[in-house]
Amino acid sequence: MIARREQVFNYAVLTLFAVLAIFPMAGVVAQALQLPGLDLSAFGTAWRDGDFAVYLRNSVIVTAVTVVVATVLSIMAGFALGTMRFRGAGALALLFVAGLTIPTEAIVVPLYFDLRSLDLDNTYAGVILPQVAMSVAFGTFWMRAYFRSVPPSLLEAARMDGAGSWTTLWRVLVPMGRPAILTMIVLISMWTWNEFLLPLVILNSEEGLRTAPLGLSVFQGNHKTDYAALMSGALIIAAPVVLLYVFLQRHFIAGMLSGAIKE
């Protein structure tokens, strides 16, 4: 009886939070579609006036490069810290964890001047490199946890078969860790796509390189009273991340819920 009450209570709480999460999105969709009727003209207005094709292209470039570079570096760093024993490994792992605690607001101003001194402001590289660094801090922490859960007997078996560290990593452990890696990719993609402050500061005078969130901000400033167009622009910007999550949803959930691998 108590278990039944706990189950009902849990479902009630989950339903409440689901409604709280869905209700704002339902309002955005309703406003964009101009319900109770159905008018898609606001999407055409937003796409045409907002120049979202350019902004989406820029965000795709920044996100794709950041995700690829950060994923490769995170896998290699996580493998080294999770499976190898060497002097300073613990301190190095703590350094990556410390990177997770540094807010963007605390470093963005000195970072801008450093990038400007290297002529990297108002460039793709100036936006990508800092986001790669921040993503690697999380990615290394994430992948280290996965590699530490790998049974030592599996690594020993690979060595006995003549596989070196490089072969063991990419041909044995990476295929096994697909859910964890895809979860990391989804998270890094969402964070990079939604990043606003870094592009705002670093791309301060280059309109052609604005990312999608920056483009939406400019569009909002020019269409303050056209709520249908504003909501349509927001949906256009959110669509790529939503589609990525839907496509990788099963792997994402598996990676979030997977526990340690047991022998």
Side-chain angles (χ1 to χ4, degrees):
M1 188 65 179
I2 296 178
R4 176 65 177 175
R5 290 178 179 176
E6 290 181 352
Q7 186 179 26
V8 172
F9 176 76
N10 290 337
Y11 278 114
V13 172
L14 291 174
T15 302
L16 175 62
F17 280 101
V19 171
L20 292 175
I22 294 174
F23 183 75
M25 288 301 302
V28 170
V29 173
Q31 192 81 333
L33 297 178
Q34 303 182 54
L35 299 177
L38 182 60
D39 187 354
L40 302 178
S41 61
F43 287 91
T45 300
W47 184 265
R48 182 181 61 256
D49 297 347
D51 205 15
F52 285 119
V54 175
Y55 300 145
L56 289 173
R57 180 203 65 194
N58 294 336
S59 280
V60 167
I61 293 173
V62 170
T63 301
V65 175
T66 299
V67 169
V68 170
V69 176
T71 298
V72 173
L73 294 178
S74 296
I75 290 174
M76 292 191 294
F79 174 71
L81 295 174
T83 64
M84 300 179 182
R85 300 293 176 264
F86 54 90
R87 181 175 297 179
L92 187 58
L94 290 176
L95 181 62
F96 279 103
V97 174
L100 298 174
T101 66
I102 302 175
T104 305
E105 293 79 4
I107 63 173
V108 67
V109 174
L111 179 63
Y112 167 73
F113 286 107
D114 288 340
L115 292 172
R116 192 175 69 171
S117 67
L118 298 173
D119 293 326
L120 291 178
D121 59 319
N122 297 304
T123 64
Y124 283 129
V127 179
I128 291 171
L129 291 176
Q131 296 192 81
V132 167
M134 292 186 293
S135 299
V136 167
F138 164 77
T140 300
F141 171 77
W142 182 268
M143 294 309 303
R144 176 176 177 267
Y146 160 68
F147 287 122
R148 285 174 65 89
S149 70
V150 174
S153 59
L154 179 63
L155 300 176
E156 294 174 3
R159 294 191 189 99
M160 291 180 63
D161 288 340
S165 297
W166 189 260
T167 302
T168 301
L169 171 61
W170 295 107
R171 294 194 177 183
V172 179
L173 299 183
V174 167
M176 287 178 51
R178 185 178 178 184
I181 294 172
L182 289 177
T183 301
M184 178 182 66
I185 289 175
V186 171
L187 292 173
I188 294 176
S189 298
M190 290 192 298
W191 294 336
T192 304
W193 185 273
N194 294 327
E195 179 60 42
F196 179 80
L197 182 59
L198 275 175
L200 176 65
V201 174
I202 296 171
L203 303 177
N204 56 83
S205 62
E206 184 52 68
E207 297 181 1
L209 295 180
R210 284 175 179 161
T211 56
L214 282 183
L216 181 61
S217 176
V218 173
F219 182 73
Q220 179 183 7
N222 296 332
H223 297 75
K224 293 182 179 180
T225 59
D226 191 349
Y227 297 111
L230 286 176
M231 297 304 103
S232 299
L235 290 178
I236 291 172
I237 297 304
V241 174
V242 173
L243 291 176
L244 176 65
Y245 174 77
V246 170
F247 182 72
L248 298 177
Q249 179 183 11
R250 295 175 61 184
H251 299 288
F252 179 82
I253 295 174
M256 292 295 290
L257 298 180
S258 61
I261 300 175
K262 298 182 180 180
E263 293 186 76

